[in-house]
Structure formats: C-alpha cells, structure tokens
Amino acid sequence: MRLWTLEHSRQLINVIGLGFCLVATAFVLFWLLWILSNLFYEGLRDFHFSVFLQMTPAPGEPGGLANALWGSLLLTTFAILVAIPIGVLAGTYLAEFANFSWFAAVTRFVNDVLLSAPSIVIGLFVYELYVKSVGHFSGWAGVIALAVIALPIILRTTDDILRLVPVNLREASAALGAPQWMTITHIVFRVAKRGIITGILLAIARISGETAPLLFTALNNQFFSSDLNQPIANLPNTIFKFAMSPYADWQRLAWQGSFLITLWVLYCNIVVRLFFKSSGVIR
Amino acid sequence: MINKGNLLDKLFYSFTWVSALSVMLIMTGVFVSLIVGSWLSINMFGVSFLSSTVWDPNTNNFGAAVPIIGTLTTSLIAAILGIPLSFGIAVFLTQLCPHALKYPLRIAIELLAGIPSIVYGIWGLFVFAPFFEIHIAPWLTSAIGPLPYIGVLVRSRSFGIGVLPAGIILAIMIIPFISSVMRDVFEIVPEPLKESAYALGATSWEVVWHVILPYSRVGVSGGIILGLGRALGETMAMAFIIGNSNQLNLSLLLPGSTLSSVLANEFSEATGDLYTSSLIELGLVLFLITSLVLSFSKLLLIRLAKREGQRR
C-alpha cells in the first residue's frame, strides 16, 4: 500500500481548488438562469399586446403600460441626444488634442469616478440644480439626469476607440492639406464609427433601466403625456410603484414591465457584442 | 480659404474643450449642490449626524448611523460572498475553460451585469425573499444560531426581506464587475512565468495561487474595490429587498436600511426643509464614500497599467 505523500496532498489541493472554480462558475450561471427563467415565465404569463396600447390602470381595472413606455422612450431619446454630442466631443478632445496632458489624465480619472457614481446621487444633483429652481418635478429634469449618466459612458468609449486609430491616417490626411477638424470628422470619426456607436448603445442600455435618478426628477404620471415640462410616466418608476403595491394586477404589470426592460437591455447588449465582436475596447 | 480652415479648427477645438470641461463641471456641481442642499442639516446636527442612530421625521431628529452601518454591512456580505466566486469564475475562464466555451460563458456572465437593478429588486422581492424565508433562513438559524458570538447574527425569525438576503443579491450583482477585471488582469500574466512554474512541476492550482495571483495582486485589488464601489451605491435592488427599517438590529435576518434605500423610499414624500436636507446629507455621505473607494480602485488600476507599460 502506498503512503500518503506530499505529492498526494498537492494533487488533492489542486483538485479541490480547480473544482471550486468550476462550481463557482456553474453556481453563478445557475443564478442567471434562475432570474431569467422567472422573468420570462412571469413576464409572458397573461402577456397581451394591450400592454403596449392601454394606459396604466387604477387597481383592479384592466390596463397596460402604454404611457410609461412612451414616457421612457421620450426620456431616453432626449437624454441620449443631449449626451451624444458632449460625450463624443469631449472624448475627441481627450484623444486628439490633449492625449498625454495632465488635464486629460485628470478628466479621465474624474470621468471614471462619475461613471461608477451611484445614480441616485445624480438624481439628487439634478433635483438641487433644476427641480428646486423650477419649482416642480418635470420630464426635462429626468432627461438631464439620464444624460449625466450616459455622458461618461460615451466619453470613455469614444476616447478609447479614437486612441486606437492609427496615427498615419491622420498624417496622410494632413499631408493632403486637410485642416485638423476635417481630418478628425472625415477620417478619424469614420474609422472609429463602430466603436462610437457601441458606446452609444451601451449608454442607451444603461439608462433605459435606470430608476433611481428618475425618482426625484421625472417623478411619475398616471396619464399619457408628452409634456416634458410636467412629471412624466416612465417604465422604471411605474415598475417600482406597482411592484411595491399590494395589488396582484399591478404586480403582474410590474413583472411584464421588467420583462420588457430586460429584453430591451439584453438586446442592446447582444447587438453591441455582435457589432463589435473582435475588439477589446468594451469592458 | 486658409483663414477659414483656421477659424473652423479653432471653433472645433473650443467645442471639444468645452465638452471635456463639462465633465469637471458636473463633478464639481454634484459636490457643491449636495453640500448646499444639506447645509441646513450640517449646521443643525454637525458631526453627530454620522453617529446618531435616531431617524425620526416626527420629532425632526435625524442621524445617519443606521443607514451607514446598513450600507457597510450589505457591501461586506456582498464582498465575502462575491470575491471568492468572482475569483473562481476568472480562474475558470482564463485557465480551465475549453476554448469554444470561453466567449459564450463570458457573455453569459456579463449579461448579469446588464440586467437593470430594478429587475434584481422585483425578482428578489417576489422570488428570492420567499425562497430565503422558507429554505435558507431556518437552516441558518439551526446551523449557525447555537454557535457563540456569530450565532446571534442569525437567531431571529426571518421575513424573507432583510440585510442578509439584500447582501446575497448584491453579491450576484457585483460578481460580473469583479470577475471581468480579474479576468483581464489574469490574462496579462506573461506566459513564460506560468510555463516556468509548470516546468518545475507545479500543479495548475499552484500556478494560480503562487504565480498568477501574486503577479496580478494590484489589479485584483483594484477590481475588488471597483465592485465594492458599485455595491455601496446600489439603490433599487436594496430599496426592494432590505426592508427599510430605521432600527439598528444585531440580526442579519431582520430588515435594515442603506443610505441609498432611505433616499429612494423617503425623498419624494419628505416634508419640511430639515427632513429633505438630512436626506440630501445622506446622499452627500454616500457620494463621499463611493468617490473615495472608486478613486482608490482607479489609482490601483492605473498603477498596474503603468507597471505593465514599463514591462513591455
């Protein structure tokens, strides 16, 4: 009979350690499946297309999420339209004009902190800045809050991707006599188009599910409204309100809303990956 | 023509410069507006705001100790559960996984990061909390409850929602962030280092533990702290699952509150300037904590990138 040697215990530790890694991966995948399967089951049970057409109901009455979906669409669209030019131009400044300066280093640092700042704090900021001075909650406040959240994402991806564009493209363009703004907008942006769009898509995915910054900015609205100067209905806040309520039919709508949001966010994420499979820029 | 080009160049440059400046302005603006907003409360309560456990809107007496402790506790639970799991995933993806599975598995883990926090919240409230109440909590009480010292943490009856379930959900939420940073830093460990260890007869685990981990120490810490920063500021999931109690409890099975959950639940219904101002001060405390933690993580990761740059 062989003795239990050092070799054996090393092998045993090896098997235990690697086994743990396997189990850890399987365990986390199990959670993903658990969450998604529940979400699909609860979201699709009793799902009806009237969700897209009817307004949010009073408890006990039939209804849908039309006003919330419309409000979310408006808020997200305007927020992203505000964030795109600022984010892309700021990223351009960092990558093209100030790449190695201390200003760029500090801005990148601050941008990264802003990128991971709690979104509810951004909501408070916009409340102090805008809601308080205007005197009432409004859709525009929600737009500003979401834009502040989208901005760092777009800036970061633009900066990263522009720095990957080869310098000789810029030199070739300059040698042909193009001024710098033309080189950047016509050559560099064209090469980096896919990367910039990726950043925009990631930003859309992130802000479509954001709830916390809308709590004290856009608030909510029971009715259909396109007036961004007034509180406006939006999907995340409606989910929050309905899920916390004791009414079964409101909770059902909350599940369906969560299902729609997740489907949309996962769709954006998958498009990003297919669109940009071969690059290591996205983190 | 040349002049026009020059003018447009300057114009374009100024536009980009102003945009870049806006990031700084926003950051400063957040700080200033939070300080202005909480000025009333800062003046009223001073430093004792941080240590007082009272939160009573009826008597206008506010203290942040309970939500601060709740925030730290849930994040600590998330770290204790999330770090080993993230480490396991990162090791599996970089060292063990068959090549064909690598990409799909990576995406699957990253999808977890994409799920909006409110969805974790509603799932946690309707699915996980009942599951926790029926299956996990009684087992914890009978297994750990009788032990000295730590037993008291799990001895009470669970209602499903509470500090521990909130911490567990939080762990799942931060795993994708931590594991993706760990994976990235494991991938930059030079092959020759690993190969020399294998050539000396090291097992795969020994290579991971004695070569890869020491080499990527800084990056791993950066990733962990990044995940912690996320955990500290997480709002909607906490607002759903933690139970929103302003009482300080020793038991992790009972409801508690975090800085963010108090804000989410009370802000829009707060009446009176002092109440609002105290809530904003909670936001200020939260922003200070997360900014410090995130800056620290960024510094670690930047140091790593610099070292990596010198090596190449």
Side-chain angles (χ1 to χ4, degrees), chain A residues 10 14 38 128 181 265 273, chain B residues 9 110 123 201 205-206 280:
Chain A
R10 284 180 58 207
N14 187 37
N38 270 314
E128 276 295 311
W181 68 271
V265 171
R273 299 240 142 53
Chain B
D9 254 356
E110 279 171 13
W123 183 81
W205 181 253
E206 284 164 347
I280 294 177

Side-chain angles (χ1 to χ4, degrees), chain A residues 10 14 22 25 28-29 32 38 89 93 106 112 118 125 128 155 180-181 216 236 244 261-262 265 273 277, chain B residues 8-9 16-17 19 23-24 33 92 103 105 108 110 114 116 118-119 123 127 201 205-206 239 267 280 290 298:
Chain A
R10 284 180 58 207
N14 187 37
L22 183 69
T25 311
V28 173
L29 285 178
L32 177 69
N38 270 314
L89 285 175
Y93 180 80
V106 174
D112 278 354
F125 163 58
E128 276 295 311
L155 193 160
Q180 199 171 8
W181 68 271
F216 1 106
M244 288 296 216
I261 280 197
T262 311
V265 171
R273 299 240 142 53
K277 199 172 173 183
Chain B
L8 283 172
D9 254 356
T16 61
W17 182 75
S19 305
V23 175
M24 301 294 213
S33 66
F92 183 79
Y103 192 65
L105 275 183
E110 279 171 13
I118 188 159
V119 175
W123 183 81
V127 181
W205 181 253
E206 284 164 347
F267 193 84
I280 294 177
T290 50
K298 273 287 132 203

Side-chain angles (χ1 to χ4, degrees), chain A residues 7 10-11 13-14 17-18 20-25 27-29 31-32 34-36 38-39 85-87 89-90 92-94 97 103 106-107 109-122 124-125 127-129 132 137 148 151 155-156 179-182 184-185 189 205-206 209-212 215-216 219 235-237 239-240 242-245 251 254-255 258-259 261-262 265-266 269-270 273-274 277 282-283, chain B residues 4-5 8-9 12-13 15-17 19-24 26-27 29-30 33-34 36-37 84-85 87-89 91-93 96 103 105-112 114-120 122-123 125-128 131 168-169 172 175 180-181 184 201-206 208 226 229-230 233-236 239-240 244 260 263-265 267-268 276 279-280 283-284 286-287 290-291 294-296 298-299 301-302:
Chain A
E7 181 56 29
R10 284 180 58 207
Q11 290 298 342
I13 291 172
N14 187 37
L18 299 184
F20 168 77
C21 297
L22 183 69
V23 171
T25 311
F27 181 67
V28 173
L29 285 178
W31 279 79
L32 177 69
W34 192 10
I35 295 171
L36 287 185
N38 270 314
L39 196 61
I86 304 179
L89 285 175
T92 308
Y93 180 80
L94 296 186
F97 295 114
F103 178 77
V106 174
T107 309
F109 190 91
V110 169
N111 188 63
D112 278 354
V113 172
L114 210 55
L115 185 70
S116 319
S119 54
I120 195 158
V121 172
I122 306 295
L124 277 181
F125 163 58
Y127 174 86
E128 276 295 311
L129 187 81
K132 236 180 177 176
F137 298 104
V148 169
L151 170 67
L155 193 160
R156 168 86 188 258
Q180 199 171 8
W181 68 271
M182 202 180 244
I184 292 172
T185 51
F189 279 177
R206 168 87 193 270
E210 278 294 351
T211 315
L215 286 173
F216 1 106
L219 207 66
L235 197 48
N237 259 348
I239 294 175
F240 185 44
F242 281 13
M244 288 296 216
S245 79
Q251 292 176 358
W255 271 113
S258 310
F259 170 69
I261 280 197
T262 311
V265 171
L266 294 187
N269 273 302
I270 287 167
R273 299 240 142 53
L274 294 178
K277 199 172 173 183
I282 340 166
R283 307 253 301 194
Chain B
K4 192 184 158 206
L8 283 172
D9 254 356
F12 186 69
Y13 176 86
F15 271 132
T16 61
W17 182 75
S19 305
L21 207 61
S22 71
V23 175
M24 301 294 213
I26 290 173
M27 189 69 172
V30 173
S33 66
L34 289 181
V36 169
L85 287 172
F87 175 74
I89 292 169
V91 171
F92 183 79
L93 284 181
L96 305 173
Y103 192 65
L105 275 183
R106 221 186 94 178
I107 292 191
I109 303 285
E110 279 171 13
L111 284 188
L112 268 177
I115 298 176
S117 109
I118 188 159
V119 175
Y120 280 100
I122 185 172
W123 183 81
L125 181 68
F126 288 126
V127 181
F128 184 67
F131 179 85
I168 295 174
I169 299 278
I172 299 296
I175 281 173
S180 81
V181 175
D184 287 349
T203 61
S204 301
W205 181 253
E206 284 164 347
V208 168
L226 184 73
R230 291 267 170 176
E234 175 46 51
T235 306
M236 293 321 289
F240 271 103
N244 309 310
S260 51
L263 274 172
N265 280 305
F267 193 84
S268 44
T276 311
L279 283 166
I280 294 177
L284 179 66
L286 177 65
F287 190 56
T290 50
S291 298
L294 290 166
S295 307
F296 187 53
K298 273 287 132 203
L299 286 177
L301 290 173
I302 287 173

